[in-house]
Amino acid sequence: MSWKDNRRANLTIQAIANILDTNGIDLTECFGDTAIDIKQILNADVDIPNQTEIEVIERAVEVLPKQAGYGVKAAQALDVTNFGVLGLAILTSPTVRSALEAMASFSEVSILLSRVSFRESLGRVAFILDMEHLPVAIHRFTFERYFYMTLRFLREMSPDYDASDFELQLPFSDPHYEQELAEISGLKVRSNQPFYALIASKELLDLPVTNTDPIAHNHFLSECQRILNETNKFAGFAQKVRNYILQEKNFSPKLTDVANSLFISDRTLKRRLQEENHNFKAVVMDTKMTLARELLLAASLPVKVVATRLDYSESASFLRAFKKWWGVSPAQMRAAQSQPLAKDSEVQH
């Protein structure tokens, strides 16, 4: 299962809906020309896939006035409990260093859309955000949400630490945005840096965590590892194929196009997949069917919409492929999940 298929609570989408409403933007009109049923998502009792959240954020930042702070506002609706078992692993860490190592190691199973790492150099530490797998349009939003949530974590772990010397780094120059971000965050902002990063004094890493519990910490880390192992059913080149499909939204990709995007030959890609006990067609189908399940169950989209999004010319063809893959029809799967069936969940021919 790809990280984009992971489910999450719809808290960020609720926050985005509030931001849109505050700016006088009608939700129905905002998403009217997309496959996203925003009101259905907001009312959903189930979690939503990462991919849906990405698409909602991308649409929102497209229509909202261009300014800093939307990611911060979204982060204000979240707290440590929204990180689940990873949040518990962080808060029970013996030191800030071990907490940040946990966040970096298991960011893929958290509510973060980005991957996190940290580097130490010359008395400073950089918490770096990797967002190459995300649309560029949502990078600023994602970074704002990340640094605000990180600062909140640090305040909970070490309430007495003075974070006023923290610094935000941006990989571009936009003086107006930089000024707005500095005013919102109260931190120094540097532009034209190598990556998006939060910079702090290295001494922060060795601070003890107030509510440390080593036994509980190790237990929570083990649980995070179990979840990550389940998430990373695919790895290596199989995952690269999945990433290509989801990023390009090309659900009928040609092997040549994927190989070209990886700067390798068709033969090399086939061989790499074989070495991982995969083949190209199977990875493509698994990606499509996993996303189909999430769109049907979590996003509650009609079969016809899901079929169109996944490049099926007819709903009947999609229904046959879905039942062959999962062993049940979309209607049966929804019934098993105790979700109400959409009126057009089956198309008769």
Side-chain angles (χ1 to χ4, degrees):
M1 180 169 63
S2 166
W3 69 273
K4 283 193 175 183
D5 301 323
N6 293 348
R7 295 187 182 187
R8 57 173 59 220
N10 62 4
L11 294 173
T12 291
I13 294 182
Q14 290 174 359
I16 288 175
N18 291 334
I19 293 170
L20 290 168
D21 183 63
T22 300
N23 283 270
I25 298 174
D26 182 82
L27 290 179
T28 303
E29 292 182 5
C30 178
F31 296 96
D33 60 348
T34 73
I36 299 171
D37 187 337
I38 188 67
K39 291 188 175 180
Q40 188 126 15
I41 293 172
L42 290 172
N43 293 329
D45 292 328
V46 295
D47 293 344
I48 63 167
N50 288 353
Q51 179 62 26
T52 299
E53 180 169 308
I54 290 171
E55 293 175 5
V56 170
I57 296 171
E58 192 170 14
R59 181 62 169 178
V61 298
E62 178 185 344
V63 301
L64 283 165
K66 306 308 176 188
Q67 63 186 49
Y70 298 127
V72 170
K73 290 179 180 178
Q76 290 170 345
L78 304 171
D79 59 40
V80 64
T81 61
N82 301 129
F83 274 69
V85 67
L86 176 57
L88 296 173
I90 291 170
L91 291 182
T92 55
S93 301
T95 65
V96 171
R97 180 189 294 275
S98 57
L100 294 172
E101 287 174 347
M103 183 180 289
S105 298
F106 300 110
S107 58
E108 290 184 69
V109 301
S110 76
I111 61 174
L112 295 173
L113 292 173
S114 51
R115 303 181 182 97
V116 182
S117 62
F118 67 94
R119 300 179 188 173
E120 303 171 52
S121 177
L122 302 175
R124 303 285 278 174
V125 58
F127 309 121
I128 301 166
L129 226 57
D130 175 8
M131 296 186 286
E132 290 186 357
H133 56 294
L134 297 176
V136 174
I138 73 170
H139 283 189
R140 296 185 184 189
F141 178 98
T142 305
F143 177 62
E144 290 178 12
R145 185 174 64 169
Y146 162 73
F147 86 71
Y148 186 90
M149 292 169 67
T150 300
L151 290 176
R152 175 177 287 183
F153 263 122
L154 292 172
R155 281 193 292 268
E156 293 208 31
M157 289 187 289
S158 297
D160 297 330
Y161 185 77
D162 181 8
S164 61
D165 67 338
F166 277 39
E167 179 182 295
L168 303 178
Q169 291 192 349
L170 307 173
F172 59 85
S173 177
D174 183 339
H176 181 67
Y177 176 78
E178 294 161 32
Q179 181 178 351
E180 288 185 330
L181 190 60
E183 292 173 354
I184 291 170
S185 66
L187 303 177
K188 184 175 183 179
V189 178
R190 288 186 182 274
S191 61
N192 292 325
Q193 299 301 304
F195 29 63
Y196 284 94
L198 176 64
I199 309 297
S201 172
K202 189 175 175 180
E203 68 179 17
L204 169 69
L205 298 177
D206 296 321
L207 291 177
V209 174
T210 302
N211 297 314
T212 181
D213 185 334
I215 296 177
H217 175 66
N218 289 332
H219 168 74
F220 294 135
L221 286 181
S222 296
E223 183 64 13
C224 286
Q225 187 63 58
R226 184 193 66 77
I227 296 171
L228 183 61
N229 290 342
E230 176 63 23
T231 300
N232 290 338
K233 180 176 70 175
F234 284 111
F237 279 82
Q239 187 61 51
K240 293 179 189 294
V241 173
R242 291 176 68 90
N243 290 345
Y244 174 90
I245 294 169
L246 294 169
Q247 289 172 16
E248 300 298 325
K249 298 180 182 178
N250 179 358
F251 298 103
S252 301
K254 296 180 180 179
L255 185 141
T256 297
D257 292 336
V258 179
N260 289 340
S261 74
L262 299 174
F263 303 102
I264 58 177
S265 67
D266 294 12
R267 181 178 297 180
T268 298
L269 178 56
K270 287 181 180 179
R271 187 180 75 253
R272 295 290 191 183
L273 289 172
Q274 288 172 353
E275 290 171 353
E276 298 172 3
N277 297 316
H278 294 299
N279 68 71
F280 184 75
K281 288 184 178 180
V283 174
V284 171
M285 184 56 67
D286 185 277
T287 304
K288 292 172 70 170
M289 291 298 103
T290 298
L291 182 57
R293 181 187 62 189
E294 299 299 334
L295 293 175
L296 289 165
L297 297 183
S300 301
L301 295 180
V303 163
K304 185 176 181 180
V305 173
V306 175
T308 300
R309 289 185 63 173
L310 298 181
D311 289 346
Y312 285 92
S313 58
E314 298 179 351
S315 295
S317 299
F318 166 72
L319 288 170
R320 286 194 295 270
F322 188 94
K323 187 167 185 178
K324 181 178 180 181
W325 187 264
W326 292 111
V328 295
S329 69
Q332 291 169 326
M333 183 174 284
R334 279 174 164 163
Q337 294 290 324
S338 299
Q339 297 299 318
L341 300 181
K343 291 182 180 179
D344 55 349
S345 60
E346 295 283 4
V347 178
Q348 302 295 331
H349 291 276

